[in-house]
Amino acid sequence: MITDGGSNTMMFSERAWSTLQVDPNDVGGTDWFWWNADDAFDLTFSALTPPNAIKKYLTQFNDGAWWIPLASASSRHPGGVNVALADGSVRFVKETVSSWALADDGLPVGVPHNDPLYFTGNYGTMKPGVWQALSTRAGGDVGGADTF
């Protein structure tokens, strides 16, 4: 049951596989990857990272946070991504939407770190933003379209 309201709950988003680069230092060259349904990451996205996160967190990606482009909603549109909401509408969400910041290791600032590095579900002192609120169905975090 969606208690936050269908217009405040994301169901799907774009995934721009073409944003992956073979050589991350080649800012002009983007390799075109085929879309496929071979792995869970091929069809899903996570609110762990903000939209088009690879643009903002390329350093963390280059330092080993390989999941950033794989987990992120992404598009080739300037400035954001289209998301389908549970009420059937489609909205453009800006990549500057409020979201938690990522630390140098690619996990949100404030999350307890483990060895090996993985997220256990313990949010620690992380502060979720509007992007994370849109990914919940019963968080009690209802916001208007002007927030994203």
Side-chain angles (χ1 to χ4, degrees), residues 88-140:
S89 65
V90 175
R91 301 275 175 88
F92 187 77
V93 178
K94 295 178 272 188
E95 57 194 39
T96 57
V97 65
S98 168
S99 180
W100 48 43
L102 299 184
D104 290 341
D105 62 8
L107 288 179
V109 172
V111 68
H113 293 153
N114 304 291
D115 187 19
L117 185 63
Y118 65 95
F119 181 59
T120 64
N122 180 354
Y123 287 92
T125 61
M126 288 190 303
K127 302 292 184 214
V130 171
W131 181 246
Q132 286 75 39
L134 287 169
S135 72
T136 68
R137 61 181 172 79

Side-chain angles (χ1 to χ4, degrees), residues 13-16 19 50-53 55 73-83 91-97 131 148:
S13 180
E14 297 179 275
R15 294 297 306 279
T19 59
N52 291 325
K55 292 179 182 179
S74 57
S75 79
R76 303 291 288 170
H77 307 298
V81 298
N82 287 306
V83 299
R91 301 275 175 88
F92 187 77
V93 178
K94 295 178 272 188
E95 57 194 39
T96 57
V97 65
W131 181 246
F148 55 92

Side-chain angles (χ1 to χ4, degrees), residues 15-60:
R15 294 297 306 279
W17 286 105
S18 61
T19 59
L20 299 175
Q21 297 176 340
V22 172
D23 180 359
N25 297 315
D26 181 9
V27 295
T30 299
D31 293 295
W32 295 94
F33 289 79
W34 290 99
W35 182 89
N36 59 53
D38 182 67
D39 185 271
F41 279 125
D42 293 337
L43 301 172
T44 61
F45 75 98
S46 170
L48 177 68
T49 58
N52 291 325
I54 192 65
K55 292 179 182 179
K56 185 174 182 180
Y57 295 108
L58 186 59
T59 299
Q60 286 88 335

